[in-house]
Amino acid sequence: VADRLVREGRASLLTVRRVCSGSAFVGQALMLAVAAKQASPLSCGCCLTLASVANGAHAGGFKANYLDLTKVHGGVLAGVGNTWASLASALGPAAAASALARAPGDWQALLA
């Protein structure tokens, strides 16, 4: 769909990437907000799964940018970007654990 829109001139490549990233962020935010309100672990797990599915659209918005910015040093740029992402993924659970230690079982405050 995205390739057809760009090929036909109905949307620029930048617009397609912005829509991919934006829809991914909105989808994740909505699903996390809904997950925080769920009473059962199954429904919460389903919401978290849908949030993860929405994350798939985000790749269409940013992965190609590495090669757009530099064809020669794309690997280095990807490595730096992934290093920052890895730091965030390591610090996120620590922050969640700290918040839950202060308010045990208060998942709604953590996800909202």
Side-chain angles (χ1 to χ4, degrees), residues 25 36 45 47 69 72 75 81-82 95 102:
F25 289 144
C47 290
L69 293 172
V72 176
N82 288 338
R102 285 190 305 275

Side-chain angles (χ1 to χ4, degrees), residues 20-21 23-29 31 48-59:
C20 284
S21 289
S23 63
F25 289 144
V26 169
Q28 289 176 26
M31 287 295 97
L48 293 175
T49 299
L50 290 174
S52 182
V53 168
N55 186 40
H58 182 57

Side-chain angles (χ1 to χ4, degrees), residues 5 10 27 31 33 35 43 45 50-51 57 63 79 82 86 89 100 104 107 112:
L5 290 173
R10 296 173 59 195
M31 287 295 97
S43 59
L50 290 174
K63 291 253 187 213
N82 288 338
S86 295
S89 67
L100 286 173
W107 286 93

Side-chain angles (χ1 to χ4, degrees), residues 1-6 11-29 50-65:
V1 173
D3 287 340
R4 186 175 349 125
L5 290 173
V6 172
S12 70
L13 184 58
L14 181 60
T15 299
V16 169
R17 289 184 182 165
R18 285 178 176 167
V19 168
C20 284
S21 289
S23 63
F25 289 144
V26 169
Q28 289 176 26
L50 290 174
S52 182
V53 168
N55 186 40
H58 182 57
F62 83 93
K63 291 253 187 213
N65 274 347

